[in-house]
Amino acid sequence: MGSKQLQKVLVIDDEPDIIELLKYNLKKEGYEVKTATDGKKGVEIARDFEPDLILLDIMMPHQDGVETCRQLREVPDLHGTFIIFLTARSEEYSEVAAFDIGADDYITKPIKPRALMSRISALFRRESKKKKDTNKINIGALTIDRTSYTVTIEGEQVTLPKKEFELLYFLAQNPNKVFSRDELLQNIWGSDVYVLARTVDVHIRKVREKIGEGYITTVKGVGYKFDLN
């Protein structure tokens, strides 16, 4: 992602007051901002705008945020885009659904603009730090390319949502090292994002379904490792 002046944010929310509040604060911070009042329109705008970050309400008419997020994660050009859910709902099941579908963060309303801007900055800082690492990993028939957010197995491309990709990439960078769920949460989601430990299990299961069972091993009672043995 480029300098702050070039970073683009799309706000998708059906509440005009929320849109205006976010638009004002984001522009004040130097972001380029576009908005949409429903999920379907948001997906259309995202395809053309290719934002670095999407702020997405969950409860919207016609198409909710979870379905909108699912559609956004299927767009190849948006694989590297951050998605933060905004919602008045704090029930556990909606939080789990948000992260399972590919969200990077989850913030409950009422929105505190300064706190939200801080969370956004933290996401971009972590991304900038990660990009300084080696961009491509080749292990046998598996290639993980962070530049294009692509994974290939024996030349066949496999599509992984952003967090599944980052989890695989992180484990592959540290082969044969066992990481607990808490360590994976810290390294992939960050300390400023609250995520349930079971979210790691769900992401691991989905990665295994796509690349096969032989790469990531469960160490019972401890955590997970990328196995080169």
Side-chain angles (χ1 to χ4, degrees), residues 23-49:
K23 187 175 180 180
Y24 171 78
N25 283 276
L26 288 162
K27 285 192 169 183
K28 190 169 70 172
E29 292 295 312
Y31 298 104
E32 181 182 352
V33 184
K34 287 194 176 184
T35 64
T37 55
D38 66 77
K40 290 183 179 179
K41 186 64 175 177
V43 174
E44 292 177 12
I45 293 174
R47 289 178 182 274
D48 293 329
F49 188 44

Side-chain angles (χ1 to χ4, degrees), residues 8-27 31-51 53-57 60 68 72 86:
K8 299 182 290 186
V9 180
L10 172 61
V11 180
I12 306 175
D13 198 301
D14 65 324
E15 297 182 51
D17 290 346
I18 296 293
I19 284 181
E20 288 306 311
L21 175 68
L22 294 173
K23 187 175 180 180
Y24 171 78
N25 283 276
L26 288 162
K27 285 192 169 183
Y31 298 104
E32 181 182 352
V33 184
K34 287 194 176 184
T35 64
T37 55
D38 66 77
K40 290 183 179 179
K41 186 64 175 177
V43 174
E44 292 177 12
I45 293 174
R47 289 178 182 274
D48 293 329
F49 188 44
E50 295 185 12
L53 168 71
I54 297 172
L55 298 175
L56 177 60
D57 186 29
M60 294 185 292
T68 300
L72 290 166
L86 306 173

Side-chain angles (χ1 to χ4, degrees), residues 75-123:
V75 180
D77 289 339
L78 301 178
H79 283 176
T81 297
F82 290 116
I83 296 178
I84 297 180
F85 272 123
L86 306 173
T87 180
R89 298 170 65 177
S90 58
E91 293 90 351
E92 178 180 309
Y93 76 86
S94 61
E95 177 182 331
V96 171
F99 286 112
D100 285 357
I101 206 68
D104 295 282
D105 203 348
Y106 183 101
I107 296 175
T108 55
K109 298 176 180 178
I111 296 166
K112 298 177 181 178
R114 289 182 64 183
L116 177 59
M117 296 305 118
S118 176
R119 296 275 275 271
I120 291 171
S121 294
L123 280 175

Side-chain angles (χ1 to χ4, degrees), residues 68-215:
T68 300
C69 183
R70 185 191 66 76
Q71 293 181 16
L72 290 166
R73 286 303 186 210
E74 291 179 348
V75 180
D77 289 339
L78 301 178
H79 283 176
T81 297
F82 290 116
I83 296 178
I84 297 180
F85 272 123
L86 306 173
T87 180
R89 298 170 65 177
S90 58
E91 293 90 351
E92 178 180 309
Y93 76 86
S94 61
E95 177 182 331
V96 171
F99 286 112
D100 285 357
I101 206 68
D104 295 282
D105 203 348
Y106 183 101
I107 296 175
T108 55
K109 298 176 180 178
I111 296 166
K112 298 177 181 178
R114 289 182 64 183
L116 177 59
M117 296 305 118
S118 176
R119 296 275 275 271
I120 291 171
S121 294
L123 280 175
F124 284 139
R125 281 197 304 272
R126 285 205 305 275
E127 182 72 2
S128 178
K129 183 176 182 295
K130 288 174 183 176
K131 284 194 172 183
K132 293 178 182 177
D133 298 333
T134 302
N135 284 324
K136 184 178 288 188
I137 298 173
N138 294 292
I139 301 174
L142 179 67
T143 298
I144 310 167
D145 189 340
R146 187 170 178 78
T147 302
S148 59
Y149 271 83
T150 57
V151 176
T152 57
I153 301 176
E154 296 181 347
E156 293 292 325
Q157 187 167 316
V158 179
T159 300
L160 269 65
K162 191 170 188 294
K163 278 292 178 277
E164 291 175 28
F165 177 91
E166 291 185 350
L167 185 58
L168 173 62
Y169 186 86
F170 177 77
L171 288 169
Q173 273 190 312
N174 300 276
N176 295 326
K177 181 176 180 180
V178 181
F179 291 92
S180 68
R181 290 172 179 81
D182 286 342
E183 288 174 321
L184 291 172
L185 288 172
Q186 172 73 27
N187 282 281
I188 306 304
W189 282 268
S191 58
D192 52 346
V193 179
Y194 174 72
V195 189
L196 297 173
R198 65 159 288 194
T199 300
V200 174
D201 301 331
V202 172
H203 279 67
I204 291 288
R205 174 175 56 79
K206 290 181 176 179
V207 171
R208 283 171 169 163
E209 288 173 356
K210 293 169 184 175
I211 69 168
E213 298 285 337
Y215 292 101

